[in-house]
Amino acid sequence: MRQWPVKILLVHPKAEFMQDRKLTLAADCAVLINRELGDRFAKETVIIGCPMLEDPKRTFEKIKMIMAESSAEEIDVYTMEVPCCIAMQMMVEKSAGDKKVNRYIVRVGGEVEDYRGFIDERMIEAEKRAHRGH
C-alpha cells in the first residue's frame, strides 16, 4: 500500500501523498469488485469512500477540501453502477475547479466504462437487484 489512511474522511488534504499529479477517488465497492483498481494502491494515490453509508455532507466537505489543497492536476473517479453511488461523481465534479476529471463506472461484473453523465437502465437494474438480494 502506498499511503495511509485510504478513507476519504480520514485523509489530511495537505498530506504529502495528496500532492501527486494524479489522484484517484473510488467507491469502496468499486475497489473490491475490480482488482485492477485495488492494485493501484501500490503505485498511485487512491482514496476511497461510500456516498451511501458515510455522511454525504461530511464527505462532500472533505472532497472540497481535498480538491482545494491537493496539487493534483487530474482526478480519476470510479463509482459503482448503482445510482446512489453517482453522488461521489457529482461531489468531485462540483468541487474540482480546473482539475481534469475522468469519470468511470464499475459494473457489478467488474467491467469499467466511461461514465457518460446519466443513469442508464443497467444501473437501475443493478440497484433493484441489490435491494431484492439477488
Side-chain angles (χ1 to χ4, degrees), residues 22 24 36-46 76 78:
K22 187 174 182 182
T24 299
E36 195 174 295
L37 280 175
D39 290 345
R40 291 171 77 171
F41 276 108
K43 53 189 175 286
E44 291 181 25
T45 298
V46 179
D76 284 351
Y78 290 85

Side-chain angles (χ1 to χ4, degrees), residues 7-44:
K7 293 292 282 181
I8 292 168
L9 291 176
L10 297 177
V11 297
H12 193 288
K14 292 183 179 181
E16 185 177 318
F17 61 82
M18 298 295 285
Q19 304 311 314
D20 286 349
R21 187 192 72 73
K22 187 174 182 182
L23 174 64
T24 299
L25 280 81
D28 294 343
C29 295
V31 174
L32 294 172
I33 296 289
N34 183 284
R35 181 162 180 88
E36 195 174 295
L37 280 175
D39 290 345
R40 291 171 77 171
F41 276 108
K43 53 189 175 286
E44 291 181 25

Side-chain angles (χ1 to χ4, degrees), residues 10-130:
L10 297 177
V11 297
H12 193 288
K14 292 183 179 181
E16 185 177 318
F17 61 82
M18 298 295 285
Q19 304 311 314
D20 286 349
R21 187 192 72 73
K22 187 174 182 182
L23 174 64
T24 299
L25 280 81
D28 294 343
C29 295
V31 174
L32 294 172
I33 296 289
N34 183 284
R35 181 162 180 88
E36 195 174 295
L37 280 175
D39 290 345
R40 291 171 77 171
F41 276 108
K43 53 189 175 286
E44 291 181 25
T45 298
V46 179
I47 56 176
I48 62 174
C50 178
M52 179 74 167
L53 297 178
E54 295 162 351
D55 179 351
K57 185 174 182 175
R58 283 186 61 217
T59 301
F60 181 50
E61 291 302 316
K62 189 61 169 266
I63 288 173
K64 286 194 307 190
M65 284 190 276
I66 290 167
M67 294 299 120
E69 298 293 338
S70 172
S71 62
E73 300 166 5
E74 187 172 356
I75 312 295
D76 284 351
V77 185
Y78 290 85
T79 56
M80 290 301 295
E81 67 179 313
V82 292
C84 59
C85 207
I86 301 305
M88 186 181 295
Q89 298 275 3
M90 294 185 300
M91 291 175 189
V92 173
E93 281 289 325
K94 191 168 184 175
S95 58
D98 60 355
K99 298 176 188 305
K100 180 182 180 200
V101 178
N102 305 305
R103 304 176 316 160
Y104 305 97
I105 292 295
V106 178
R107 298 291 181 175
V108 173
E111 314 85 43
V112 176
E113 301 172 7
D114 289 339
Y115 174 54
R116 297 180 305 254
F118 60 89
I119 296 172
D120 64 29
E121 195 60 40
R122 284 181 65 189
M123 294 174 184
I124 294 168
E125 285 304 312
E127 184 88 4
K128 287 178 184 176
R129 281 192 313 274

